[in-house]
């Protein structure tokens, strides 16, 4: 009995220490306040408050950031002012990301499809063009299929492979999700995954064509966003990593008329073959490659990125 008590005391202490560490990380990650925006607005959605900005005049354009730890509308800051000269630009932080509420739910593809449909209907109130980055392309395509009255054209930036999107969560994925959602210890694992160092590595390895271009402001913004909302930030990540956001988009891609445009960064891994997967489903899709860029051409080569937008919209 004595040993058990000692073990219980040790575990209690460890949990306490980890809890304090978690709280400290949450607090210090917000110090630079990178995500402060002068014209931020809030949309009260059924699963939580959604943060967005609105600027400019002209036909509406909704910018949807990629999904990864720390992603937010900040991803568009190199192009949104320029776009606002021609369009009314809405930049959204998806539920669980950036400044939006970090809800304690399972984030499925359908949640985000619903969010985009509701946002266009209730906030923008008119037909909208969408530019969706990375994985969020799948939300935009499904939203179009569910609600084509409100969505006009879609531009996908480095969209995910339709083949990968077909993978459904396995038992192992389910267990991984449960592990991350354990209080305190799961939060610690999450904090290790989104440490400053790992965020920096993500940029150098996956995001940038030229690792010497990495913008430290960008890194700070991702680091901060991945911790805002404290321990609730991990629910979004646990759903993402365990494939709960996947969905088969092939039917939807086939049904899209000539209103879809795919842009790939020149050095995005498998970029060309992913483009071909989409073209196999729908030969009407238009495509373009952005030179000297990888996963975020809108940041690495904004001039060429903006040119493509002018061509398409």
């Amino acid at each position: 009995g004595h040993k058990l008590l000692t073990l219980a005391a040790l575990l209690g202490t460890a949990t306490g220490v980890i809890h304090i560490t978690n709280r400290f990380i949450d607090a210090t990650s917000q110090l630079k306040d990178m995500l402060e925006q002068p014209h931020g607005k809030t949309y009260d959605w059924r699963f939580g408050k959604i943060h967005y900005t609105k600027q400019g005049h002209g036909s509406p354009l909704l910018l949807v950031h990629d999904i990864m730890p720390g992603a937010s509308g900040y991803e568009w800051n190199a192009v949104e002012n320029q776009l606002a000269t021609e369009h009314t630009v809405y930049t959204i932080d998806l539920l669980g990301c950036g400044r939006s509420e970090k809800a304690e739910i399972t984030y499925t593809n359908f949640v985000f499809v619903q969010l985009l449909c509701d946002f266009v209907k209730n906030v923008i109130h008119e037909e909208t063009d969408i530019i969706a980055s990375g994985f969020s392309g799948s939300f935009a395509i499904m939203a179009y299929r569910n609600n084509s009255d409100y969505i006009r054209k879609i531009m996908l930036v480095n969209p995910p492979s339709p083949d990968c999107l077909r993978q459904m969560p396995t038992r192992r994925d389910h267990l991984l999700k449960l592990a991350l959602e354990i209080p305190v210890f799961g939060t610690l694992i999450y904090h290790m995954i989104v440490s400053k160092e790992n965020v920096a590595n993500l940029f150098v390895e996956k995001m940038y064509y030229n690792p010497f271009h990495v913008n430290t402001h960008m890194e700070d913004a991702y680091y901060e966003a991945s911790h805002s909302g404290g321990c609730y930030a991990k629910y979004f990540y646990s759903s993402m990593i365990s494939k709960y956001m996947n969905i088969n988009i092939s039917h939807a891609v086939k049904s899209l008329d000539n209103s879809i445009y795919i842009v790939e960064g020149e050095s995005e891994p498998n970029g060309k073959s992913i483009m071909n997967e989409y073209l196999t489903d729908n030969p009407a899709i238009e495509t373009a490659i952005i030179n000297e860029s990888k996963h975020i051409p809108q940041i690495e080569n904004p001039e060429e990125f903006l040119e493509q937008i002018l061509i398409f919209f």
Side-chain angles (χ1 to χ4, degrees), residues 237-249:
Y237 179 76
S238 71
S239 298
M240 178 188 94
I241 197 84
S242 50
K243 305 192 182 79
Y244 278 76
M245 296 183 193
N246 284 7
I247 197 165
N248 187 344
I249 60 169

Side-chain angles (χ1 to χ4, degrees), residues 78-79 82-83 301-311:
V79 293
Q82 190 63 40
L83 290 172
N301 193 345
E303 295 80 13
E304 210 176 303
F305 186 78
L306 287 162
E307 269 168 43
Q308 292 303 330
I309 291 174
L310 281 174
I311 292 168

Side-chain angles (χ1 to χ4, degrees), residues 218-259:
M218 199 73 197
E219 257 179 51
D220 288 340
Y222 272 65
Y223 178 68
E224 183 183 318
S226 65
H227 291 276
S228 81
C231 64
Y232 295 108
K234 69 184 180 182
Y235 289 93
F236 171 86
Y237 179 76
S238 71
S239 298
M240 178 188 94
I241 197 84
S242 50
K243 305 192 182 79
Y244 278 76
M245 296 183 193
N246 284 7
I247 197 165
N248 187 344
I249 60 169
S250 287
H251 288 301
V253 172
K254 285 179 179 134
S255 68
L256 291 172
D257 40 28
N258 52 356
S259 52

Side-chain angles (χ1 to χ4, degrees), residues 55-59 79-89 306 310:
Q55 50 189 327
H57 298 283
S59 64
V79 293
E80 56 189 353
N81 291 349
Q82 190 63 40
L83 290 172
T85 59
E86 308 269 321
H87 300 275
T88 306
V89 179
L306 287 162
L310 281 174

Side-chain angles (χ1 to χ4, degrees), residues 5 23 76 88 101 123 136 161 174-175 192 204 214 228-230 245 253 270 284 296 309 312:
L5 280 175
R23 294 297 291 274
W76 303 102
T88 306
E101 203 164 314
V123 178
S136 294
S161 144
H174 187 63
L175 289 172
M192 286 153 97
V204 170
V214 174
S228 81
M245 296 183 193
V253 172
N270 310 321
I296 34 177
I309 291 174
F312 184 54

Side-chain angles (χ1 to χ4, degrees), residues 2-37:
H2 185 62
K3 278 184 179 164
L4 271 177
L5 280 175
T6 313
L7 182 66
L10 279 172
L11 271 176
T13 311
T15 308
V17 170
I18 294 169
H19 181 65
I20 291 164
T21 309
N22 287 339
R23 294 297 291 274
F24 176 74
I25 293 171
D26 288 335
T28 52
S29 64
Q30 306 302 306
L31 293 176
K32 293 192 179 174
D33 210 9
M34 294 301 300
L35 302 175
E36 192 49 72
Q37 280 154 325

Side-chain angles (χ1 to χ4, degrees), residues 49-251:
K49 290 182 169 26
I50 301 298
H51 178 274
Y52 71 98
T53 59
K54 174 186 177 182
Q55 50 189 327
H57 298 283
S59 64
L61 181 58
L62 173 59
L63 305 179
V64 186
H65 62 80
D66 196 0
I67 61 155
M68 55 181 67
S72 73
Y74 195 87
E75 188 184 315
W76 303 102
N77 77 338
V79 293
E80 56 189 353
N81 291 349
Q82 190 63 40
L83 290 172
T85 59
E86 308 269 321
H87 300 275
T88 306
V89 179
Y90 293 84
T91 306
I92 191 173
D93 281 4
L94 294 171
L95 186 73
C97 303
R99 303 217 131 199
S100 289
E101 203 164 314
K102 309 287 204 273
E104 195 180 329
I105 61 168
T106 294
Y107 292 82
T108 61
N109 200 286
F110 183 70
V111 168
F112 294 110
V113 170
Q114 225 23 67
L115 171 58
L116 294 184
C117 291
D118 290 347
F119 188 83
V120 174
K121 234 188 248 177
N122 303 325
V123 178
I124 302 178
H125 303 298
E126 57 180 312
E127 256 201 323
T128 302
D129 293 321
I130 295 181
I131 304 180
S133 170
F135 198 97
S136 294
S138 66
F139 310 150
I141 286 173
M142 297 307 283
Y144 182 94
R145 198 188 73 163
N146 288 4
N147 213 333
S148 56
D149 304 349
Y150 274 97
I151 297 167
R152 207 172 18 213
K153 289 181 170 181
I154 298 174
M155 180 172 178
L156 305 175
V157 185
N158 291 315
S161 144
D163 204 33
C164 292
L165 284 171
R166 285 187 199 105
Q167 298 170 10
M168 286 298 109
T170 58
R171 191 181 146 75
R172 194 168 148 242
D173 293 322
H174 187 63
L175 289 172
L176 174 66
K177 183 172 181 291
L178 288 174
L180 274 164
E181 290 175 3
I182 294 169
V184 186
F185 289 96
T187 307
L188 180 71
I189 297 166
Y190 173 72
H191 281 158
M192 286 153 97
I193 293 164
V194 294
S195 68
K196 200 114 180 117
E197 197 180 347
N198 284 344
V199 170
N201 288 343
L202 173 79
F203 274 83
V204 170
E205 290 163 19
K206 299 243 165 63
M207 310 283 269
Y208 278 82
Y209 167 80
N210 179 348
F212 298 108
H213 278 171
V214 174
N215 173 333
T216 53
H217 287 303
M218 199 73 197
E219 257 179 51
D220 288 340
Y222 272 65
Y223 178 68
E224 183 183 318
S226 65
H227 291 276
S228 81
C231 64
Y232 295 108
K234 69 184 180 182
Y235 289 93
F236 171 86
Y237 179 76
S238 71
S239 298
M240 178 188 94
I241 197 84
S242 50
K243 305 192 182 79
Y244 278 76
M245 296 183 193
N246 284 7
I247 197 165
N248 187 344
I249 60 169
S250 287
H251 288 301

